[in-house]
Amino acid sequence: MILSNEIADHWVKAIQAGNVGSKGLRASDAKLFLGQAVKIPVDKFSPELLKRLPTSLKDSSITHSALIATLYGKAFDASPAGKTLFAARNSVMQDYGDATLTLAELESRAESDPEAKKRYKQNMEDRALVCAKFLYDPSASQSPGAVYSEELVALWQAMDSQLVALNLGKTERERLAYELVLSRMVMRAAKGDDSEAGLAVPALFLATVKEVSAKMFPSFRDQVLKEFDSKRAAPISTAATDVANLPNSSASSSSTASSNNQPQ
């Protein structure tokens, strides 16, 4: 978690690198938070961050999506959010005896039975909705970190603070939330692995999760962003300094890393 500020800094600087002569991050550059890979050079990474990269990485850069997946994917999967999503997905998969049915075969079946796809989705929607209510309940007593993993929320807060400091607004902050939480975590888990590509049941489950997320995620996102704003506006207390806001020095990082060998 103590590396969140460093990761956010590298991410923003990688986007700024294409802005020759620019002093800040333009609103148009924030489109890179969604749909385009941002290549981040690794030569400036601290030793603490470098040792968390996969040993197979031999390139001079890593995409932001690969970096996020490497550092935060397992923490999300083990979080209450990840476990709830996987449980819903497994439940849906077990309900269908024709789990090998492809999308092409389902479309062919729908030619003679137009309601076929609707029936498949109908059984998924209730469980996807229950799952989404847990993931996106803005009134939940638990903090977002307790649901999604403290590590992921620490990065989200650090990156959001970068955008605010660069005078970017609501659109860019919302785009970041979508990219970091929905695209890289929730949708990745809902999609499953590449071996299921083209199969009807996994594809319909992913589509159903997307639909309910589109309706319910915005209120959750707005509530979290308000909490981030409140924390930034609150007087700094030396007795209760948030870990994500600690100085990103080698000394402090080394101390934390040596006392905890778990991926952060």
Side-chain angles (χ1 to χ4, degrees):
M1 287 175 62
I2 203 170
L3 297 174
S4 297
N5 286 332
E6 179 187 350
I7 296 166
D9 189 54
H10 289 309
W11 190 356
V12 168
K13 285 181 177 177
I15 298 173
Q16 288 177 310
N19 294 345
V20 179
S22 176
K23 295 182 179 180
L25 188 67
R26 300 171 302 191
S28 59
D29 298 317
K31 293 178 181 178
L32 292 174
F33 298 147
L34 181 63
Q36 282 184 266
V38 178
K39 289 188 176 182
I40 305 176
V42 302
D43 59 337
K44 301 297 183 181
F45 284 11
S46 69
E48 291 76 17
L49 181 52
L50 282 172
K51 70 184 181 184
R52 289 169 170 79
L53 300 184
T55 56
S56 58
L57 180 67
K58 306 299 180 184
D59 297 333
S60 60
S61 64
I62 184 171
T63 63
H64 77 287
S65 55
L67 183 62
I68 291 168
T70 298
L71 298 180
Y72 301 94
K74 288 183 179 180
F76 173 81
D77 292 348
S79 71
K83 290 178 179 179
T84 299
L85 185 57
F86 285 125
R89 190 180 195 278
N90 291 337
S91 176
V92 166
M93 295 294 290
Q94 290 171 7
D95 275 356
Y96 294 88
D98 51 358
T100 59
L101 181 71
T102 66
L103 280 169
E105 291 169 339
L106 180 60
E107 293 296 339
S108 178
R109 182 180 299 180
E111 291 179 5
S112 58
D113 183 4
E115 295 294 309
K117 187 182 293 186
K118 181 179 179 180
R119 289 196 301 272
Y120 270 81
K121 286 191 66 177
Q122 197 166 26
N123 190 38
M124 302 179 186
E125 288 173 350
D126 288 345
R127 275 169 289 182
L129 184 59
V130 170
C131 181
K133 285 181 179 178
F134 175 78
L135 294 177
Y136 311 131
D137 184 0
S139 62
S141 57
Q142 291 182 321
S143 69
V147 176
Y148 285 86
S149 86
E150 298 291 354
E151 296 92 339
L152 178 65
V153 175
L155 176 63
W156 183 6
Q157 182 175 351
M159 194 66 188
D160 184 71
S161 293
Q162 288 265 16
L163 301 190
V164 172
L166 290 165
N167 296 318
L168 294 180
K170 184 174 182 287
T171 299
E172 291 72 40
R173 297 175 70 190
E174 290 177 354
R175 192 184 296 274
L176 170 68
Y178 183 98
E179 169 72 351
L180 189 57
V181 180
L182 270 188
S183 179
R184 298 301 165 190
M185 296 298 152
V186 174
M187 296 308 166
R188 170 191 59 83
K191 177 177 179 290
D193 59 47
D194 292 339
S195 67
E196 295 175 319
L199 296 181
V201 175
L204 289 175
F205 178 74
L206 175 62
T208 304
V209 172
K210 282 183 177 180
E211 288 174 8
V212 296
S213 294
K215 296 175 182 176
M216 301 182 67
F217 180 73
S219 59
F220 165 78
R221 173 205 64 212
D222 292 346
Q223 182 62 36
V224 175
L225 293 181
K226 286 181 181 178
E227 292 179 12
F228 289 168
D229 290 338
S230 296
K231 288 180 180 178
R232 277 190 293 269
I236 297 175
S237 170
T238 56
T241 303
D242 189 275
V243 170
N245 293 324
L246 287 174
N248 204 17
S249 65
S250 298
S252 61
S253 298
S254 299
S255 174
T256 300
S258 63
S259 63
N260 183 2
N261 291 324
Q262 295 298 317
Q264 299 179 19

